[in-house]
Amino acid sequence: MTSHTIFAARHRRALFNSVALSCLAWSTDGWAQSGGSAQTLDPVVVQHTATPAAHSARRSPAARSVRSHQQRSAAASANKPVASSTGPAFAAPTLNLTGASTAGSRLGLTRLQTPGSVEVISAETISERGQQNIIEAVTQNATGFTASPAPGNGGVSFNTRGFTGLGSVMTLYDGTQLYIGAGTVTFPFDTWSTERIEVLRGPASVMYGAGAVGGAINVVSKLPLWVPRNQAEISLDTNMTRRIAVDSGGPVSKDVAYRITASGNMSDGWVDRDDTSNVALHAVVQVRQNEDVTWTLSTDYGDRKPSRYFGTPLINGRLDEALRFKNYNVSDSHIRYQDSWNQVKTEWQVADGISIQNSLYYLNSKRHWKDVESYAYNPATGLINRSSYIEIFHDQQQVGNRMDAKFRGHVFGMANEFLAGFDVNSIDFTHTNNSPYGGSSSVNPFNFVPGVFNSPNATVPGYGSVTNQYALFAENRLSVTEQLSLIAGIRQDEPTIARTDYVTPANSFEKSFSSTTWRAGAVYTPVKDLAFYGQYSTAVDPVGGLISLSSANRNFDLATGKQIEIGVKQSFWGGRGEWTLAGYEIVKNNLLARDPNIPSLTVQVGQQSSRGVEASVGFLLDHGWRIDANTALLRAKYDDFVQAVGGGTVNYAGNVPVNVPQTVSNIWATWAFAPNWSANAGVQIVGKTYADNANTVTRPAYNIVNAGVQWKPDLNTTVSFRIYNLFDEVYTTSGGTTQWMLGMPRTAQLAVNVKF
């Protein structure tokens, strides 16, 4: 038996033992003792996440039963959104500093109590601004975030604090990391099933593991409703995007509730020959076994046929707007992503001050690309040379379990909260391809025949990998005084990757990594709702992705990062206003670079850094006005980054990394100008970016304005008219030296939402 087989067997036993341990949460009190808890409407301006005060309020079973009965009666009689026992109501959906977030801490701290930059984008904000996908919701609302979506990375790739891509800015679903298969993540994508999006700026490895030196985005799905409610929405836009979405939830009994959401889109696209479609389903059932034990079972499914537009070729290094709507892919190109996600969550209040949470999950992703992806203008012929005839299949399964136990008590008379847990998972990944992706053709840039896919290389299994990982983590918050708290966390990750090369068996290998990340911070609150904080944190990023680690990169260590951050946050005017200000510096080491003396030799000595200032402000004003604004200013650069160029080496020290804008701002204004009428407008301001390490090719800065008006003819109906990219800005979201991905042109949309 090989060492890999022994390790895998031990890993599976550890995984199954952890699942068995989670089942101990099934209390012997039985189903009959369940008294239920507060029934609330799906909140519109209500924060769901539990605050520390809510948990500490738990007392005797009798008291809990009385409290639950009173809350159910109040919710039923009011027939409108109410604040649950686990969170406060806010003056506006964008003003939520006093609400809890899980992105920056597992202790249930509020944003004011967290020594870091955390934001919460609520479902109401997303709906009000007409943001139907995750990319729009994050980049148009969160401070300092931009995106570089492309068909090759699954359309879900973000940039923040000077770091770019899936390997440095992590995407999570319900707090679980989605491991990157060959540079690709394809789920989640639609916002209809999203309760909120939590954003953490800065290193997040101490929370989630490798791959988050820049930040993390946690998409939190909708939970069951304990008061019946249904809604449906249809919309149509000028790109002939037809959308229909439904959302239904309510109680099945006093101890069982459900939620089902579904959305579907079909579109002709805004470039030639680019029809797209997708379906997203989310179903969840919550079972309250008794006062102390809750089970939540959910399943998600996504099926996408996304855009097959890979960018617009540059003509003599410049963008020709005459090519704006051209699609240079072949006529029989094909892309499809299929993702399914199943999880079982257990929450057990063991006793006053002791709780256990467990998440068991299984993810299955299947992806297929068949297209021509590279376009370059040839000035000698006046034609577009097409290359990279690529066909790739991904088959990825991820199974895992995460458990943590939380303890609230006192240490030397000081209030203390402590959490410890483990995370164990196993990922099988198979990469089938037609490497080395041969094939070429030349087409007229204005009048061309698309042609068909024709590669001389057969599509065969390339490699497979099995990644087994376990991690231990802990977090602690000590309240030294009522004004001063100290927060610290630590995480140990131990992944092992076994790669089997089906083409060149000699390149098969097994590699283990070990990393320790930690964070320490302090929060000082001199007066209520005003917090000063500081923190130091570390992080690790994989070199090229863990589960698709190549033979060439197997001997390199994980890249390491460290950050220092200070800031201040305040909620004022009784929650009608808030502001934040943060300054930081991040340094990332162990980048891959070329040996200056031996250009053919890759070494791990590079360094990249960024420092910046971020600010946000929100006001709920009189006469129906609300203003929300944020801005990020940074200086990102390579400190030491040697690359091979023309047979020699060039050190790009001092240059700005690719895809990093150094100024990013969002401004939104909402005005309820008449009874049952409101309007909003927002501008996204993104500075220039560079398309190459030498900083010789610049992608221009851009300003995107979105605007809309909403009318409520009755209590349950909302009619929305929106215009995206109001001034029809021609802008680029990503791209290199020969082709750029362009953003959507001016698009008008009409939507009708009905609740019943």
Side-chain angles (χ1 to χ4, degrees), residues 115 206 476 486-490 518-522 534-538 563 565:
V206 72
N476 193 82
L486 305 177
I487 296 97
I490 190 169
W518 59 277
R519 177 182 64 187
Q535 65 143 298
Y536 181 89
S537 55
T538 66
Q563 173 189 264
E565 178 179 340

Side-chain angles (χ1 to χ4, degrees), residues 90-97 111 575-578 618-620 626 628:
F90 298 110
T94 53
L95 308 180
N96 50 33
L97 265 181
R111 293 176 59 200
R576 294 182 52 173
E578 66 182 38
F619 297 99
L620 180 62
R626 189 175 83 243
D628 301 293

Side-chain angles (χ1 to χ4, degrees), residues 200-284:
L200 172 63
R201 304 191 304 276
S205 293
V206 72
M207 288 284 294
Y208 307 115
V213 72
I217 298 162
N218 181 28
V219 179
V220 181
S221 62
K222 290 180 176 178
L223 286 173
L225 298 170
W226 292 90
V227 172
R229 198 192 75 180
N230 305 283
Q231 67 173 319
E233 182 173 289
I234 59 172
S235 66
L236 176 68
D237 72 19
T238 50
N239 296 322
M240 290 307 296
T241 303
R242 293 88 72 192
R243 177 178 174 89
I244 184 169
V246 295
D247 182 355
S248 176
V252 177
S253 68
K254 66 182 181 66
D255 299 316
V256 181
Y258 78 95
R259 188 78 171 269
I260 298 175
T261 71
S263 62
N265 297 269
M266 297 182 67
S267 178
D268 292 351
W270 59 269
V271 296
D272 299 334
R273 303 177 297 103
D274 195 36
D275 54 298
T276 64
S277 64
N278 63 66
V279 172
L281 303 173
H282 170 69
V284 56

Side-chain angles (χ1 to χ4, degrees), residues 18 53 250 339 533 551 566:
S18 70
D339 297 278
Y533 72 90
S551 176
I566 58 173

Side-chain angles (χ1 to χ4, degrees), residues 308-365:
R308 290 157 290 143
Y309 163 70
F310 275 84
T312 300
L314 304 180
I315 306 298
N316 296 320
R318 296 180 178 274
L319 180 65
D320 186 339
E321 293 189 20
L323 307 182
R324 184 181 185 186
F325 302 105
K326 301 292 185 182
N327 178 7
Y328 290 94
N329 215 328
V330 291
S331 60
D332 59 344
S333 60
H334 175 81
I335 305 177
R336 188 178 183 184
Y337 312 139
Q338 294 173 281
D339 297 278
S340 63
W341 176 277
N342 304 280
Q343 57 182 337
V344 178
K345 289 187 175 182
T346 309
E347 298 172 276
W348 179 20
Q349 190 71 33
V350 181
D352 281 349
I354 303 176
S355 61
I356 293 176
Q357 294 189 11
N358 191 85
S359 295
L360 171 67
Y361 64 88
Y362 174 74
L363 168 67
N364 186 14
S365 293

Side-chain angles (χ1 to χ4, degrees), residues 508-523:
S508 300
F509 65 88
E510 182 174 306
K511 173 72 174 182
S512 294
F513 294 94
S514 180
S515 65
T516 303
T517 54
W518 59 277
R519 177 182 64 187
V523 178

